[in-house]
Amino acid sequence: MADSNDRLPPLNALRAFEAAARRLSFSKAAEELNVTPGAISQHIRQLEEYAGTPLFKRTGRSVLLTDAAQASLPLVREAFAKIAESGRIMQQPARKGRVMVSCAPSFAAKWLAPRLDRFHISNPGIEAWISADMTITDFTVADADFAIRYGRGNYDGLKSEKLMDETVLPVCSPRLLEGSDAIRKPADLARHALIHDKSTEQDPSCPDWTSWLAARGVGDQVDGQRGPRFNQSSLAIEAAASGRGVVLAKRAIASSDMAAGRLVAPFADGSTSIDFGYWLVWPKGRHQTEDVRAFIKWVKAEAAAGEIHGV
């Protein structure tokens, strides 16, 4: 006869606990799981009765984890990850011919999407589905096979491989290199709008206009604070391509427009290397299908070709 201590905790209650513990909020967990906050509270009470100890400390509108909750949460998350992975393996025949990739909207629009035709031509039996989201992919709930992240590559519980490095450089429409106000040297930027990329994907080592101008010795001649600001890199790029001014752009995000001649780099020595890069990430232990491996091989080849040939 099985020991009563070996009985499994209620699965729905565990799911509510994981979401509430991760977000430190019953209401946010309810939104994520598409249930009412009351249902989350009921599940937590059920799990606390099973555990015989409190799992949360209620402090007004927020909650804190007890020692028992903190100790069990990593195991619960790992268990759900394994359950999700087993489901993915079961679904592999139905998923054949499809690869789901998660990445930031600007990277999706400006780097990945312009190249996808080449993948589909060389892999006609595989459809690439792109999920563009400003939030970091949570593989415990997302359907993504892998993600492309901008950062340093250190992600808890995830395997990561460097896709490519990144640099920042001024770019503008070719029209700004012509006429009486043509850009020839950094001091000429005083006669043009400076476009600011204020997206959330920023590296602390990434220069802003003030530091870039100071490094070129023209900080006292050009006001690095003026000019329009955009909260997505792709919007800043489009503003520059339309002739509205000059933007300090990530090379990867600007590469397709530079290759198409919509953008040019006005200064030969304008590039600045930064600490962050682009990384392929997926959960440790995840089984990758043949289709996913084909896409990863292709995207790594595209990144390598861009770094070799430049833009």
Side-chain angles (χ1 to χ4, degrees):
M1 183 175 178
D3 191 320
S4 60
N5 291 329
D6 291 334
R7 63 189 177 89
L8 292 174
L11 187 60
N12 286 338
L14 275 180
R15 178 50 113 184
F17 163 72
E18 189 278 332
R22 173 164 38 84
R23 292 177 167 269
L24 293 179
S25 168
F26 285 11
S27 60
K28 291 180 179 178
E31 290 177 8
E32 178 180 312
L33 300 180
N34 198 28
V35 297
T36 65
I40 296 294
S41 297
Q42 184 176 352
H43 283 311
I44 298 303
R45 283 196 299 270
Q46 183 182 12
L47 195 59
E48 288 176 332
E49 290 175 1
Y50 167 89
T53 186
L55 298 174
F56 292 93
K57 301 173 184 176
R58 281 72 170 179
T59 58
R61 292 186 176 182
S62 62
V63 293
L64 299 175
L65 303 182
T66 64
D67 291 343
Q70 289 179 339
S72 60
L73 180 59
L75 296 176
V76 172
R77 298 204 70 182
E78 181 180 354
F80 274 116
K82 289 182 176 180
I83 292 172
E85 183 61 17
S86 67
R88 291 177 61 85
I89 293 173
M90 293 177 189
Q91 294 172 346
Q92 279 183 7
R95 293 172 64 94
K96 185 172 178 59
R98 188 190 84 187
V99 177
M100 176 72 81
V101 185
S102 173
C103 57
S106 291
F107 186 86
K110 289 298 185 180
W111 192 91
L112 188 54
R115 292 167 166 79
L116 279 181
D117 279 349
R118 292 200 285 270
F119 173 76
H120 291 135
I121 290 171
S122 59
N123 298 271
I126 306 175
E127 291 183 353
W129 293 13
I130 309 302
S131 175
D133 199 323
M134 293 297 291
T135 59
I136 294 178
T137 304
D138 182 352
F139 286 99
T140 63
V141 296
D143 193 33
D145 292 299
F146 69 96
I148 300 175
R149 288 188 181 173
Y150 179 69
R152 289 194 172 93
N154 300 316
Y155 305 107
D156 290 340
L158 301 179
K159 179 178 175 59
S160 60
E161 290 186 13
K162 173 67 81 65
L163 178 62
M164 58 184 168
D165 293 316
E166 185 58 288
T167 59
V168 171
L169 74 167
V171 294
C172 62
S173 166
R175 299 196 301 273
L176 300 191
L177 305 188
E178 304 169 352
S180 58
D181 290 334
I183 298 173
R184 296 284 184 265
K185 57 187 184 300
D188 295 336
L189 294 174
R191 298 191 297 270
H192 297 273
L194 301 181
I195 298 171
H196 301 260
D197 179 357
K198 306 300 288 185
S199 62
T200 57
E201 289 192 299
Q202 290 298 337
D203 171 4
S205 73
C206 185
D208 58 12
W209 272 119
T210 299
S211 60
W212 188 94
L213 292 165
R216 270 77 186 172
V218 295
D220 59 341
Q221 303 175 48
V222 185
D223 180 2
Q225 294 297 317
R226 62 182 173 79
R229 286 155 169 77
F230 296 88
N231 69 348
Q232 288 196 29
S233 297
S234 58
L235 299 178
I237 290 291
E238 283 302 311
S242 68
R244 290 188 60 185
V246 187
V247 64
L248 272 177
K250 300 182 186 74
R251 181 178 289 271
I253 305 301
S255 61
S256 293
D257 288 301
M258 294 177 74
R262 298 182 70 225
L263 291 173
V264 294
F267 310 115
D269 62 345
S271 297
T272 302
S273 297
I274 58 178
D275 293 342
F276 281 19
Y278 299 94
W279 297 80
L280 306 172
V281 299
W282 59 88
K284 292 179 179 178
R286 167 161 293 184
H287 173 73
Q288 292 181 338
T289 66
E290 183 179 346
D291 295 338
V292 173
R293 292 195 299 271
F295 190 93
I296 288 177
K297 180 180 179 181
W298 169 82
V299 79
K300 290 167 73 172
E302 286 288 323
E307 290 189 340
I308 292 171
H309 299 300
V311 293

